[in-house]
Amino acid sequence: MYSIVSTAIVSGIRSIPVFIEADVSDGMPVFEMVGFLASEVREAKERVRTALRNCGIVLPPKRITVNFTPADIRKSGSAFDLPVAAAVLAALGYVPAEGLGEMFFTGEVGLGGDVKMVPGVLPMVAGAKEQGKRICVVPAGNEAEASLVEGIGVCGVTSLDEMIHLLRGDPRGTRTEPFNIEATAPKLPDFAEISGQKLVKRACEIAVSGMHNLLMIGPPGAGKTMMAKRIPSILPPLTKEEQMELAGICSVSGRFIQGGAANDQRTASLSSVVRPFRAPHHTITPQGLAGGGVRPKPGEISLAHKGVLFLDELPEFQKNTLEILRQPMEEKCVRLVRFAASCEYPADFMLVAAMNIATTKLIQCGIAEMPENKAFHGFCSFVFSLFEPFFCRGSSSVF
């Protein structure tokens, strides 16, 4: 028999549809998977075979062929376990294949038959809606995240048994406990809590009014970091489209629940998506700032999208790391090109930096006075020259 189910992979923060075909025929007993697969995807056949056996379903001694289309796109990750299991079960006749065309599947399967969470579910479900799918079957831990997409049904399953009952129309496959998608927005550090510092507060207000960049220079303990942490609280409220975009970035990076009002995986709402504040340590690598990896993930500049990227102790950052910021600050996006594929992440952020010492360039320009400690002047001279195109133009501020 033959069956086909729908799933997807994520490139950047957009979803690329993938179809999994399963065919069961007479011949030498073999479980073959084809379609430009990464090693973790090829291992899905062993996970699925063992999980089905532990759920009481033993695969017959037949030739089972599973094909991933389109074949020219590399498939990676563990989110294909659940759709492979659904396709094989439908091809074997354990579940009806008629309604699978309107359904979307994603999830990782453990050896005991349990279904585990996977990253990137939100853009996958949004893509399934665009394809006209009616129901999305996802891990129960991702159900709250997937439910943020309106206009499509979401079914969270905890095990293969539950998915089988769901596909058969058995009431045991229907979740009975209430599902809550309400959440209050987390409380950000309030800008109104700052006492004094009128000049710097005014500079922050002017910078925020146009999402301009801001460099704060002052002695340790002056309140630069404290003030930077409170800048997101005076940024304009996010629109619904911006909230969905930020939720998609968090979903792809596996950080959807972090920063929300609750740690309950079954609780989520767009109201919990607020302006991000990212403050990476000065030892961060260029890949950590821009994103990347064998399986590319967003970096700090994309996680700060529509929010604030704060670079404390600016002179301590490596020069090649700071150079990464030039193109994203101009084009508001990051393009990562890898051997197998390329992806694009948004990077529209407000850059706020702080430093304790005056550079030679600032002293020459008369912006800062000569401090007593001159040891770091030569080392820090590149900082101002590097950021001069961003901080010394009319749309930026230095205080």
Side-chain angles (χ1 to χ4, degrees):
M1 294 181 62
Y2 170 84
S3 67
I4 182 171
V5 301
S6 297
T7 184
I9 58 173
V10 176
S11 176
I13 59 171
R14 65 186 182 91
S15 174
I16 300 178
V18 174
F19 299 94
I20 298 181
E21 303 171 303
D23 179 79
V24 178
S25 59
D26 295 332
M28 289 290 293
V30 66
F31 194 143
E32 186 69 24
M33 296 177 59
V34 296
F36 199 9
L37 311 179
S39 59
E40 64 270 19
V41 181
R42 293 186 180 277
E43 294 166 356
K45 63 182 179 182
E46 298 301 332
R47 289 193 295 268
V48 170
R49 187 201 304 270
T50 305
L52 290 176
R53 186 181 67 246
N54 289 329
C55 292
I57 300 176
V58 179
L59 297 181
K62 291 180 175 293
R63 182 178 184 85
I64 302 174
T65 305
V66 178
N67 179 43
F68 292 68
T69 60
D72 61 338
I73 298 177
R74 182 176 174 82
K75 291 83 178 177
S76 60
S78 58
F80 295 105
D81 294 0
L82 194 65
V84 167
V88 171
L89 288 171
L92 292 173
Y94 284 99
V95 298
E98 290 76 16
L100 294 181
E102 298 180 341
M103 304 181 74
F104 175 89
F105 296 83
T106 187
E108 179 181 349
V109 175
L111 298 184
D114 54 313
V115 179
K116 303 178 181 180
M117 295 177 60
V118 293
V121 167
L122 184 61
M124 289 183 189
V125 174
K129 177 185 175 182
E130 294 177 358
Q131 297 175 46
K133 302 300 179 183
R134 189 172 57 89
I135 298 175
C136 290
V137 181
V138 302
N142 295 114
E143 187 176 2
E145 174 185 347
S147 297
L148 296 180
V149 181
E150 300 176 350
I152 187 170
V154 176
C155 295
V157 294
T158 59
S159 65
L160 284 180
D161 279 332
E162 191 172 333
M163 184 192 72
I164 293 172
H165 293 312
L166 173 68
L167 297 180
R168 289 176 176 174
D170 193 321
R172 287 180 293 175
T174 304
R175 189 172 297 277
T176 57
E177 61 262 31
F179 178 69
N180 177 28
I181 61 171
E182 294 299 326
T184 58
K187 185 179 180 181
L188 297 173
D190 196 347
F191 196 80
E193 297 172 350
I194 302 174
S195 299
Q197 302 282 10
K198 292 184 178 180
L199 179 61
V200 185
K201 287 170 65 176
R202 179 59 177 164
C204 292
E205 293 167 355
I206 294 173
V208 165
S209 65
M211 288 292 285
H212 305 314
N213 307 313
L214 181 67
L215 173 61
M216 295 183 285
I217 304 174
K224 301 184 294 295
T225 302
M226 178 268 297
M227 197 162 300
K229 289 181 178 179
R230 284 158 173 77
I231 288 178
S233 67
I234 59 175
L235 287 170
L238 291 168
T239 64
K240 186 175 180 180
E241 291 75 16
E242 291 174 336
Q243 287 177 323
M244 287 296 295
E245 190 174 26
L246 283 174
I249 295 173
C250 293
S251 175
V252 171
S253 61
R255 308 178 185 215
F256 184 79
I257 298 298
Q258 294 184 13
N263 291 325
D264 183 5
Q265 297 287 355
R266 294 182 56 74
T267 303
S269 172
L270 284 182
S271 62
S272 64
V273 181
V274 296
R275 297 270 183 184
F277 176 83
R278 306 295 301 184
H281 193 259
H282 63 263
T283 57
I284 189 172
T285 63
Q287 292 76 21
L289 194 64
V294 178
R295 294 177 57 193
K297 286 190 175 182
E300 289 293 327
I301 58 178
S302 295
L303 294 174
H305 181 61
K306 298 299 180 182
V308 173
L309 177 65
F310 178 55
L311 303 183
D312 200 4
E313 301 292 347
L314 184 64
E316 299 295 332
F317 284 80
Q318 296 295 322
K319 182 176 181 180
N320 60 338
T321 301
L322 296 178
E323 290 280 1
I324 294 290
L325 291 170
R326 289 187 182 272
Q327 180 264 339
M329 292 176 68
E330 291 289 345
E331 299 186 9
K332 309 301 182 184
C333 68
V334 178
R335 296 182 183 89
L336 302 178
V337 180
R338 296 296 181 266
F339 173 75
S342 61
C343 56
E344 181 177 314
Y345 296 109
D348 184 8
F349 56 89
M350 175 181 175
L351 177 63
V352 179
M355 54 188 294
N356 295 330
I357 56 179
T359 66
T360 305
K361 183 72 173 181
L362 288 175
I363 295 169
Q364 293 174 353
C365 293
I367 299 176
E369 298 179 356
M370 177 71 73
E372 295 181 2
N373 184 1
K374 306 177 184 179
F376 292 100
H377 286 177
F379 175 75
C380 299
S381 61
F382 77 90
V383 175
F384 191 78
S385 61
L386 178 63
F387 280 89
E388 190 172 9
F390 305 114
F391 288 113
C392 288
R393 60 179 59 169
S395 61
S396 303
S397 305
V398 180
F399 283 86

